Amino acid sequence: MSHRWGMAVDLDRCTGCEACVTACRAENNVPTVGPEQAARGRAINWIRVERYYEGEFPDVRVKFRPVLCQQCDAAPCEPVCPTYASHHTEEGLNAQVYNRCIGTRYCANACPYNVRFFDFANPVWDKPLHLQLNPDVSVREVGVMEKCTFCVQRINEGKTRAKAEGREVRDGEIKPACAQACPTTAIVFGDLNDPESEVSRLSHSPRGSKLLEDLGTKPKITYLR
Ligand code: SF4
């Protein structure tokens, strides 16, 4: 059975702790650009936690929404790329091929979710922080666009392990770093083609909605109100 990877994020469970953000940075070698570049809008965060405030002080309620690449089925970033660096895989992932990217940034301009990041400089990890780099993930260089991959290296590892053991991938077996780190299990990842998977069940919840769904991008992330 072919896979179609998707995610559900329960906003009622999210406490805004940002463990997902930290885990994503560590897993995917996401560089820290420093305060000067950040002030110029060049910070790189494959996943960010947006904050929304309701009410007047002191009766304020804070709500959180983790935002990452929505892995859209009708991704606006894909048709604008002149080199097919941004393309759709058979498993529904919106992939980014770094060594095809020539840095036009058309994709980032087309994406309504602001989840694509351009590398304005070569990343630097001061020693001994370079020892923490994940060898399963490439370190991106200046001039390319990068973004969330749903931790494709973990997906491939899970599929390879299942194949070696002569079985199908089990639901919940593959977890992106953000889902693994979340202390409240707000993030659920899995196969939308498996009607029994938890992510399929949550994606059909009456609490579910898509981010900016009126744009017709058909995101594969469902947010539960
Ligand atoms: S780790 Fe979980 S609870 Fe914390 S910010 Fe991320 S999604 Fe929300």
Side-chain angles (χ1 to χ4, degrees), residues 7 43 45 79 87 130 142 173 184 190 206 208 219:
M7 188 177 272
N45 281 305
H87 78 107
H130 67 296
V142 63
E173 181 180 9
T184 63

Side-chain angles (χ1 to χ4, degrees), residues 9 13-21 47 49 64 66 178 181-187:
V9 183
R13 285 179 178 234
C14 178
T15 62
C17 70
E18 301 205 356
C20 51
V21 177
I47 177 171
V49 179
F64 304 98
C178 56
C182 179
T184 63
T185 59
I187 302 175

Side-chain angles (χ1 to χ4, degrees), residues 37-165:
Q37 293 295 306
R40 301 177 72 178
R42 296 177 177 178
I44 299 176
N45 281 305
W46 286 14
I47 177 171
R48 64 178 182 270
V49 179
E50 296 186 347
R51 290 177 291 267
Y52 298 94
Y53 300 92
E54 274 183 2
E56 294 291 325
F57 184 81
D59 298 318
V60 181
R61 269 197 78 190
V62 187
K63 293 185 172 178
F64 304 98
R65 182 192 292 269
V67 178
L68 57 160
C69 174
Q70 304 289 302
Q71 306 287 347
C72 308
D73 275 338
C77 56
E78 290 169 4
V80 296
C81 179
T83 60
Y84 301 106
S86 173
H87 78 107
H88 220 67
T89 72
E90 288 177 352
E91 298 187 352
L93 292 177
N94 173 232
Q96 178 72 10
V97 184
Y98 299 128
N99 57 4
R100 268 193 222 153
C101 177
I102 56 170
T104 61
R105 290 177 271 166
Y106 295 156
C107 57
N109 286 315
C111 173
Y113 303 106
N114 200 16
V115 289
R116 297 185 145 263
F117 302 93
F118 185 69
D119 284 296
F120 282 91
N122 277 325
V124 179
W125 279 272
D126 294 331
K127 290 180 183 176
L129 292 178
H130 67 296
L131 297 175
Q132 75 173 13
L133 292 175
N134 183 353
D136 293 335
V137 179
S138 57
V139 173
R140 285 75 59 187
E141 297 186 338
V142 63
V144 302
M145 192 62 72
E146 59 176 79
K147 64 160 202 87
C148 161
T149 65
F150 268 176
C151 288
V152 68
Q153 67 279 2
R154 292 188 176 207
I155 295 174
N156 289 336
E157 194 266 337
K159 283 181 0 188
T160 304
R161 186 170 357 104
K163 189 175 177 188
E165 294 173 4

